[in-house]
Amino acid sequence: MMPKRLEEALALFRALPRELKAQVLLDYAKKVPPPPEGLALEPVPECQTPFALKAEVREGRVHLHFAVPDEAPTVKAFAGLLREGLEGEAPEAVLALPPTFYRGSGLEELFTPLRLRGLEAALLRLQDQVRRALS
């Protein structure tokens, strides 16, 4: 089962025409705060854009941090979507999310297949960090 906030975001994308999807996606880019000073983030080498992330589990909830340059608004928007949909969720909910969770939402119209593979790799890396935090 997909986390409620993520499902709501994807439902919005499904309902929007293509030109509005891009605008709403860019709004997610603006919601990505900078990571805390000194936090060690893990790079995602599969992504063409410099993209680093850190998933922490505190008090049974997942907390996400991303570093994506402003010059990569679509990648930053994907990070914002993950943060919006997964921040504060239980680790089990994050781990249950399939890497292709976005399919059918229309987001695949906005990203190239190569970019989508990089973004899927980012989610897999994030999930791996959650698993490590739990062990």
Side-chain angles (χ1 to χ4, degrees):
M1 185 167 159
M2 190 174 302
K4 184 179 189 323
R5 288 185 324 246
L6 187 57
E7 179 55 48
E8 288 170 351
L10 295 176
L12 173 63
F13 282 109
R14 279 191 289 276
L16 292 172
R18 181 185 166 99
E19 58 276 3
L20 288 179
K21 282 180 183 146
Q23 184 55 51
V24 170
L25 191 62
L26 292 179
D27 288 342
Y28 279 103
K30 297 173 188 167
K31 296 180 181 183
V32 179
E37 192 71 32
L39 182 68
L41 284 86
E42 187 176 341
V44 181
E46 298 89 345
C47 196
Q48 294 174 308
T49 299
F51 186 4
L53 52 81
K54 176 71 175 175
E56 300 177 300
V57 178
R58 293 190 311 269
E59 299 176 6
R61 297 289 167 197
V62 173
H63 301 283
L64 305 174
H65 307 282
F66 298 98
V68 185
D70 290 335
E71 300 79 42
T74 54
V75 175
K76 194 166 191 171
F78 189 80
L81 179 63
L82 287 176
R83 188 170 191 285
E84 178 81 14
L86 301 178
E87 177 68 24
E89 288 291 333
E92 298 76 23
V94 174
L95 293 174
L97 191 64
T100 56
F101 72 92
Y102 57 84
R103 287 204 180 140
S105 68
L107 287 176
E108 56 271 28
E109 301 168 15
L110 303 174
F111 294 102
T112 65
L114 184 61
R115 171 105 345 130
L116 286 171
R117 279 193 297 280
L119 298 174
E120 289 171 13
L123 176 60
L124 292 170
R125 191 164 307 277
L126 187 150
Q127 289 172 324
D128 186 54
Q129 289 180 4
V130 170
R131 268 188 219 89
R132 283 184 273 152
L134 291 174
S135 60

